[in-house]
Amino acid sequence: MQLSFASPVSRLFLGLIPYVAALSLKSTGRTLMLGDIPYYVPATPYTTISVHALGRLQSINGLSPVTVLGAVGNNATVGSLSSILAEFTTDDVWNADFLQGRSCFPSGKRDTCTLGSKPSVLEQEYQGRWPVGRITSLHKMDRDNLIGNGPRYPLGSTSLPGSNRTSLFISVASNASSPIPNGPYFLLSANGALYQPLRLYSDFAGAFTQPLVSSSDGSYAASSAALPGIQSPAIGVPSRLYYTRTASKPLAGVRTGIKDIYDVAGVKTSDGNRAWYGLYPPATVNSVPVQRLVDAGAVLVGKMKTSQFANGERATADWVDYHSPFNPRGDGYQDPSSSSSGAGAAAATYPWLDLTLGSDTGGSIRGPSQVQGLFGNRPSHGLVELTGVMPLAPELDTPGFLCRDPTIWKAAGVALYADLLFYSTYPQTIQTINFPENASTEASNAALVFLSKLQTFLDAKTTTALNLTTSWTASKPAGAPATLIGLLNTTYATLVTKQQTRLVRDPFFAAYAAVHDGRRPFVDPVPLVRWAYGDSLPDSALEEAQNNKTTFMNWFNCNILLNESMTCSDSLILYTAGSDTTYRNEYLKPPSVPFGFSTSRISVFAEVPDVVVPVGQASYLSTITNHTEMLPVTVNMMAAKGCDGMLFNLIEDLTAAGILDTPQTGQTITGGEILLKRGMIGL
């Protein structure tokens, strides 16, 4: 065959290549704007309904925005519609543009959405606009007048409160195992496919590594959605209207971010390292903690940045492969702490995110929670199997949460930690470590005010200052070193370096070399320094460190924090982390090995729960803005091992009593516009 072209300039070849394997062409969804709001429409519809004579619906590439209203039945009233629509206005995914055409009432057991073969009759009947804020009466019309003989369906029109838009309603029956959930949808007129859209938000804080979308088989994929901007992934979130929390699904609809050391089925894990991400295939199953959250109904919206291999890194120079997330508090240039950096920054920045899953080995949840004013917990060690989670030191690793809402926090704890006992009678003894003695600063005053209110709430009989050094000297085990620093100075450093070189580095380096001609992958400075220290130690050092940890744990749990039958823990221990500035633009000393023992390491070695609660704010003069800004003030509370449920209950009760406030997203824990929010679509 000879081809000729009328013009030598424009030559278009249309599939004229024989004997080539079948073309693989697959949709990954589409991004579109409804009004001024960006949405991602997934490739797979939620369901398909039978639609007849759609009429003149506004559409984008055949997709029309519609609203599904459930559980109104055939006797819908103006009152029932008004109540449902009032709930819709609180949802951040739904907006009035989803009422532009027709909205459906799912009822019955078959998927039908018969809109009538002559919709123009209805359009003529209801083409006028009703006054803003007024809902018209819901008219019932005879379906026979539209398409001949047949059953009657409730038809009518209404205008949304606060809107001058008129919408047509008609009954829908569903053949699904459950009714189609309420909320916003896009309807494909060609085949009746009904899609649940995701509203897109810009990750301007740089907290995420990958946005996620769920697949019908229970796995996930990295979202292909994008928004204008620099280094800002588009995170898609579903409408909260789709979900109803139940006893079996206490996290239904809770939008959750996952630290990128946890395997999520269908997507790769980075561990904060580009070479690792490129080397290994996507996970085939969820890690155990992630699966427990999914089973409880959590909606995974993305994987979140971690400092490399969960080692502690500072934002200024330690982060090389990926850029450290931005802490929104104060001047916007404070270090977010690590290693759950993305989890903390996102929870403090985005009101559309409900919960983040982090990990705490030496402080990686508590640090980000402290500097960003969040609720955060290091749980009792060993509550959850950590299969599918990158290890730092199995003897110390724990999964926990960073969160603004203590009710969601508690529900997540119930889902993740098996067999917790939720005591509602609380200890009446408080011990403090290095707690402020006077209100000489704003931070000290906030901590002392909280302590006073806590004492009243608990009807505390005793509050004493705990001196661990004195207690150790008085009751240390026979043969133990004379001081705690003598026992524990190198314990943490030895455990994390000897274990991670064995469990992570060595197999990683070997696998990378095997496919890259013997080359070694790039690793950030902090892990390299730590691993080198581990290499310098004899193998016997690991067992010695494990024994030292066990010695401290047994002593502490028998002498300082004891289990008690009525209150779970015989006392609470309180300490503070201060509210000092840590600017991310200040150059630091080279990375070093994490030697030493401090108050924050108590729970690490003793395996007891240690939670962070925000109690106030303190001002400082920023060297960035040259203005007075505010940073969070937090207090940590520890209880005896296994008393996590008591702490969850206590914090929920303290919030209900007004002693603790729910922190807000933004520049301060009481809210406020983030200073350096980029001017992007989808914020």
Side-chain angles (χ1 to χ4, degrees):
M1 178 183 292
Q2 183 177 6
L3 296 176
S4 62
F5 299 91
S7 169
V9 177
S10 300
R11 300 183 179 183
L12 181 62
F13 293 87
L14 298 176
L16 301 178
I17 306 177
Y19 312 117
V20 177
L23 182 66
S24 176
L25 186 63
K26 181 175 68 173
S27 172
T28 59
R30 65 186 85 179
T31 301
L32 49 83
M33 299 284 292
L34 181 60
D36 59 354
I37 299 176
Y39 291 92
Y40 170 77
V41 180
T44 304
Y46 177 81
T47 189
T48 300
I49 57 178
S50 176
V51 180
H52 304 286
L54 278 170
R56 295 187 295 273
L57 282 175
Q58 296 184 43
S59 66
I60 305 170
N61 295 328
L63 287 172
S64 299
V66 297
T67 297
V68 168
L69 303 178
V72 295
N74 289 335
N75 297 313
T77 65
V78 173
S80 63
L81 278 179
S82 178
S83 175
I84 294 173
L85 291 177
E87 178 189 358
F88 279 30
T89 59
T90 66
D91 185 62
D92 63 333
V93 178
W94 184 89
N95 70 75
D97 286 331
F98 282 97
L99 284 177
Q100 66 90 23
R102 295 163 173 80
S103 304
C104 303
F105 301 143
S107 60
K109 296 182 179 180
R110 295 188 58 194
D111 270 352
T112 60
C113 189
T114 306
L115 300 185
S117 61
K118 298 179 181 180
S120 59
V121 175
L122 290 179
E123 290 169 358
Q124 292 168 7
E125 179 80 16
Y126 301 112
Q127 64 184 350
R129 294 181 181 270
W130 281 270
V132 174
R134 175 173 174 247
I135 300 180
T136 67
S137 62
L138 188 65
H139 300 280
K140 289 192 175 182
M141 300 186 64
D142 190 347
R143 184 175 180 270
D144 295 347
N145 293 334
L146 296 178
I147 57 174
N149 295 329
R152 294 175 180 268
Y153 287 80
L155 298 171
S157 64
T158 185
S159 58
L160 179 71
S163 170
N164 62 0
R165 181 175 284 102
T166 300
S167 297
L168 173 69
F169 299 89
I170 190 164
S171 177
V172 179
S174 172
N175 63 7
S177 59
S178 58
I180 301 171
N182 281 1
Y185 290 79
F186 281 98
L187 180 65
L188 187 61
S189 57
N191 61 6
L194 200 61
Y195 296 86
Q196 290 184 337
L198 306 180
R199 178 173 177 172
L200 296 178
Y201 287 101
S202 170
D203 177 29
F204 61 88
F208 287 83
T209 56
Q210 301 177 83
L212 298 179
V213 291
S214 61
S215 302
S216 57
D217 63 359
S219 66
Y220 296 81
S223 170
S224 61
L227 291 173
I230 300 173
Q231 296 180 338
S232 296
I235 310 300
V237 299
S239 171
R240 302 183 197 276
L241 300 170
Y242 301 148
Y243 306 96
T244 300
R245 295 177 196 172
T246 63
S248 62
K249 298 288 183 183
L251 297 180
V254 172
R255 300 166 181 172
T256 305
I258 305 296
K259 184 177 181 178
D260 203 4
I261 66 169
Y262 291 89
D263 282 350
V264 173
V267 297
K268 291 188 171 189
T269 300
S270 77
D271 295 336
N273 181 274
R274 294 196 304 162
W276 183 286
Y277 182 85
L279 179 64
Y280 294 107
T284 57
V285 296
N286 291 328
S287 62
V288 171
V290 168
Q291 188 59 51
R292 288 192 180 182
L293 298 180
V294 170
D295 289 344
V299 176
L300 308 190
V301 301
K303 299 195 78 175
M304 318 192 77
K305 287 181 181 176
T306 172
S307 54
Q308 198 164 93
F309 300 113
N311 287 271
E313 294 182 317
R314 293 288 184 88
T316 306
D318 292 341
W319 291 67
V320 179
D321 263 354
Y322 297 100
H323 198 56
S324 175
F326 284 89
N327 177 347
R329 306 305 193 189
D331 52 39
Y333 277 86
Q334 298 299 307
D335 192 281
S337 191
S338 64
S339 60
S340 303
S341 309
T349 300
Y350 303 132
W352 45 263
L353 184 67
D354 302 318
L355 180 72
T356 60
L357 175 66
S359 68
D360 192 305
T361 301
S364 295
I365 287 174
R366 290 165 293 153
S369 297
Q370 289 161 351
V371 301
Q372 282 153 130
L374 301 166
F375 294 107
N377 70 295
R378 175 190 171 87
S380 297
H381 185 268
L383 290 180
V384 187
E385 182 186 348
L386 295 181
T387 301
V389 186
M390 185 219 67
L392 187 53
E395 303 90 339
L396 310 177
D397 295 339
T398 60
F401 303 103
L402 302 92
C403 191
R404 299 183 305 275
D405 185 334
T407 300
I408 291 177
W409 190 28
K410 175 183 172 181
V414 172
L416 182 59
Y417 309 124
D419 303 321
L420 280 185
L421 297 177
F422 284 83
Y423 289 74
S424 56
T425 302
Y426 305 124
Q428 293 184 303
T429 298
I430 298 173
Q431 303 183 78
T432 62
I433 301 178
N434 298 327
F435 214 78
E437 296 180 355
N438 56 68
S440 58
T441 66
E442 290 175 288
S444 297
N445 182 66
L448 289 171
V449 168
F450 170 72
L451 175 60
S452 176
K453 292 180 178 179
L454 178 64
Q455 290 170 322
T456 301
F457 181 85
L458 298 175
D459 190 20
K461 307 303 182 185
T462 306
T463 301
T464 59
L466 172 62
N467 187 313
L468 273 184
T469 299
T470 301
S471 298
W472 174 261
T473 301
S475 58
K476 70 180 181 67
T483 64
L484 282 173
I485 198 68
L487 177 73
L488 300 173
N489 183 48
T490 63
T491 299
Y492 180 81
T494 301
L495 290 173
V496 299
T497 60
K498 294 296 286 184
Q499 290 287 47
Q500 195 167 61
T501 54
R502 178 178 67 89
L503 298 172
V504 175
R505 185 201 62 182
D506 292 349
F508 172 40
F509 279 15
Y512 189 89
V515 297
H516 291 288
D517 195 27
R519 290 177 173 84
R520 192 177 78 174
F522 175 83
V523 174
D524 280 355
V526 170
L528 286 179
V529 168
R530 293 184 173 194
W531 294 346
Y533 173 72
D535 290 339
S536 73
L537 300 174
D539 291 341
S540 60
L542 177 58
E543 183 178 359
E544 181 183 351
Q546 291 169 333
N547 290 337
N548 289 345
K549 173 200 170 290
T550 301
T551 296
F552 176 80
M553 176 180 68
N554 292 338
W555 170 80
F556 185 86
N557 293 340
C558 290
N559 293 275
I560 306 301
L561 269 181
L562 283 67
N563 287 108
E564 202 273 338
S565 60
M566 293 296 295
T567 60
C568 190
S569 180
D570 70 337
S571 65
L572 299 172
I573 293 180
L574 272 60
Y575 68 96
T576 65
S579 58
D580 296 332
T581 56
T582 305
Y583 291 98
R584 62 186 293 152
N585 65 327
E586 291 180 350
Y587 287 101
L588 308 171
K589 297 178 181 179
S592 59
V593 178
F595 294 126
F597 174 74
S598 63
T599 306
S600 65
R601 292 270 169 88
I602 293 173
S603 57
V604 174
F605 296 136
E607 300 189 354
V608 301
D610 186 348
V611 302
V612 179
V613 296
V615 299
Q617 301 186 100
S619 62
Y620 72 105
L621 179 63
S622 169
T623 63
I624 302 294
T625 63
N626 199 32
H627 276 62
T628 298
E629 311 290 1
M630 306 295 289
L631 289 178
V633 178
T634 61
V635 169
N636 282 61
M637 291 194 289
M638 287 187 283
K641 185 174 181 179
C643 296
D644 306 65
M646 181 271 289
L647 287 174
F648 280 127
N649 269 351
L650 173 60
I651 291 163
E652 188 176 47
D653 287 348
L654 291 173
T655 304
I659 295 172
L660 291 174
D661 293 323
T662 300
Q664 304 300 305
T665 58
Q667 188 183 5
T668 75
I669 62 171
T670 58
E673 187 76 5
I674 298 168
L675 286 178
L676 294 176
K677 181 186 288 187
R678 299 183 184 125
M680 298 179 185
I681 295 172
L683 294 183

